[in-house]
Amino acid sequence: MQWYFVAALLTLLTSSQGILTTLSQSNGGYKYDYATIPFLAEIFKLLVSSFYLWKDSRSSSPPRMTKEWKSMRLFPIPSIIYLVHNNVQFATLTYVDPSTYQIMGNLKIVTTGILFRLFLRRKLSNLQWMAIVLLAVGTTTSQVKGCGEKSCDSLFSAPIQGYMLGILSACFSALAGVYTEYLMKKNNDSLFWQNVQLYTFGAIFNMAWLILGDFKAGFERGPWWQRLFDGYTVTTWLVVFNLGSTGLLVSWLMKYADNIVKVYSTSMAMLLTMVLSIFLFNLRPTIQLFLGIIICMISLHMYFAPPHLLMDLPVTSKPPPSSLTDASMRRAVNS
């Protein structure tokens, strides 16, 4: 399977996630416990990966699985990073408004490129760095509101703590992605075996989060497992399956492509969501959105297109001689 097909599918699923989540609301709120969605998505990914691992293990060439504790103990780390990242997100939103937070979230595009270079030792060309910066500029441009709106005044009015936490959130998001790619590529283990380890710890940490929520609420609504499916509809289950399928595609990209491809997929998904929301939720299109789309498309072309398509090389009138013999023969003919 080609990486660009997986990236395109990831873009479609990611863009539909926000739309499905909005459609799953009832009277502007959720009838279900939203914290159960990531937990069930982790269970879904774990079951799918376990099935394919079992299927591969019955084949003539069994999959490679490293079962040493030294290797397995690294897989809880991404879950811990994401857990810290979620808490930093909540802390950031206490200082900045959602529009400012959404715009600051685009910093993860640049921080991913920096950590990609530092920790994975992947060298990016100057043109690719320019493309990454353009992607951040394009996504930010598409999210900026018109200056006649109230959010325009609040964009740079947040306290310094909000901006520091926003930068920290972008760093944690990039670190989790880069570290996951490191885990996926550090050996030739089966992707499904790596997923089983990753999603097992993911399910454990999400379950711990649900238990912590019960303690904070004083078990007023009962233990989490008794209300796990309360308020669920067909749309809610679509949200779960969509989130789980997105995670499986991301793990494939981490194994066979890289974080930059994932960043482009999720950024394009954000733009696609904004365009679809114009038709589905009667939102007003803005000039900033169209400018942002144009900038992001230029960035996409700059990063992935072959260099010879991005620059016009001067065409020489005569090709250079292929050898010293050819050069001497040409001089003899001319004389």
Side-chain angles (χ1 to χ4, degrees):
M1 191 157 49
Q2 298 294 330
W3 67 264
Y4 47 82
F5 174 77
V6 177
L9 187 57
L10 176 62
T11 299
L12 292 175
L13 289 180
T14 305
S15 63
S16 61
Q17 183 66 29
I19 295 173
L20 287 173
T21 303
T22 302
L23 294 175
S24 70
Q25 295 178 355
S26 178
N27 297 323
Y30 300 104
K31 287 188 175 181
Y32 57 90
D33 185 356
Y34 189 73
T36 61
I37 298 290
F39 172 72
L40 291 175
E42 292 294 320
I43 296 297
F44 171 73
K45 292 185 288 185
L46 180 59
L47 291 176
V48 171
S49 300
S50 299
F51 170 76
Y52 280 103
L53 181 64
W54 170 79
K55 189 177 179 180
D56 285 351
S57 64
R58 294 171 61 88
S59 63
S60 56
S61 56
R64 176 175 174 175
M65 296 185 291
T66 302
K67 298 181 180 179
E68 298 177 357
W69 173 244
K70 184 183 295 186
S71 176
M72 296 175 65
R73 68 183 180 183
L74 300 176
F75 282 86
I77 296 177
S79 299
I80 296 173
I81 297 175
Y82 278 121
L83 184 62
V84 175
H85 171 250
N86 291 335
N87 283 278
V88 173
Q89 279 183 313
F90 283 111
T92 305
L93 287 169
T94 61
Y95 292 100
V96 303
D97 61 276
S99 298
T100 304
Y101 175 78
Q102 192 174 21
I103 291 174
M104 290 176 61
N106 295 320
L107 286 172
K108 69 177 179 288
I109 297 173
V110 179
T111 54
T112 297
I114 294 173
L115 295 179
F116 186 77
R117 173 69 181 90
L118 292 177
F119 290 101
L120 298 180
R121 305 294 182 185
R122 304 291 179 83
K123 186 176 180 180
L124 299 175
S125 67
N126 293 335
L127 203 60
Q128 288 176 322
W129 276 116
M130 290 172 62
I132 290 174
V133 173
L134 267 183
L135 180 64
V137 171
T139 51
T140 302
T141 301
S142 67
Q143 294 168 335
V144 173
K145 306 294 183 181
C147 286
E149 302 183 26
K150 294 181 179 179
S151 58
C152 185
D153 298 330
S154 64
L155 183 58
F156 299 105
S157 60
I160 188 63
Q161 297 95 320
Y163 295 114
M164 295 302 294
L165 287 171
I167 295 173
L168 188 62
S169 176
C171 290
F172 275 123
S173 177
L175 179 62
V178 170
Y179 188 84
T180 302
E181 181 179 347
Y182 162 75
L183 285 181
M184 292 295 180
K185 292 179 176 175
K186 71 184 183 70
N187 55 36
N188 293 323
D189 280 3
S190 164
L191 170 64
F192 302 119
W193 167 240
Q194 292 175 322
N195 280 347
V196 165
Q197 298 174 83
L198 196 62
Y199 300 143
T200 297
F201 289 110
I204 291 173
F205 279 102
N206 275 278
M207 184 174 63
W209 186 255
L210 289 171
I211 295 172
L212 180 62
D214 286 344
F215 275 103
K216 287 183 177 179
F219 291 91
E220 292 181 356
R221 296 182 296 169
W224 64 271
W225 60 86
Q226 291 184 358
R227 51 183 170 79
L228 184 60
F229 306 119
D230 289 353
Y232 268 56
T233 62
V234 174
T235 308
T236 313
W237 281 111
L238 288 176
V239 173
V240 173
F241 294 142
N242 186 287
L243 184 61
S245 301
T246 299
L248 291 170
L249 291 176
V250 168
S251 69
W252 191 96
L253 287 178
M254 294 297 99
K255 182 75 170 178
Y256 301 111
D258 57 46
N259 260 282
I260 304 299
V261 175
K262 187 200 78 169
V263 165
Y264 269 95
S265 296
T266 53
S267 298
M268 294 302 169
M270 182 201 69
L271 296 175
L272 181 59
T273 302
M274 296 172 71
V275 173
L276 292 176
S277 297
I278 294 173
F279 300 98
L280 294 175
F281 305 115
N282 296 320
L283 297 180
R284 287 174 50 190
T286 63
I287 187 65
Q288 292 92 331
L289 173 59
F290 291 110
L291 287 175
I293 292 175
I294 293 172
I295 294 172
C296 288
M297 295 305 294
I298 294 173
S299 168
L300 182 69
H301 183 67
M302 284 179 61
Y303 190 91
F304 292 104
H308 69 273
L309 295 179
L310 298 174
M311 57 187 73
D312 293 326
L313 298 177
V315 180
T316 56
S317 57
K318 292 183 180 181
S322 57
S323 65
L324 292 176
T325 305
D326 292 340
S328 60
M329 290 177 63
R330 289 182 184 179
R331 284 197 295 268
V333 171
N334 294 330
S335 60

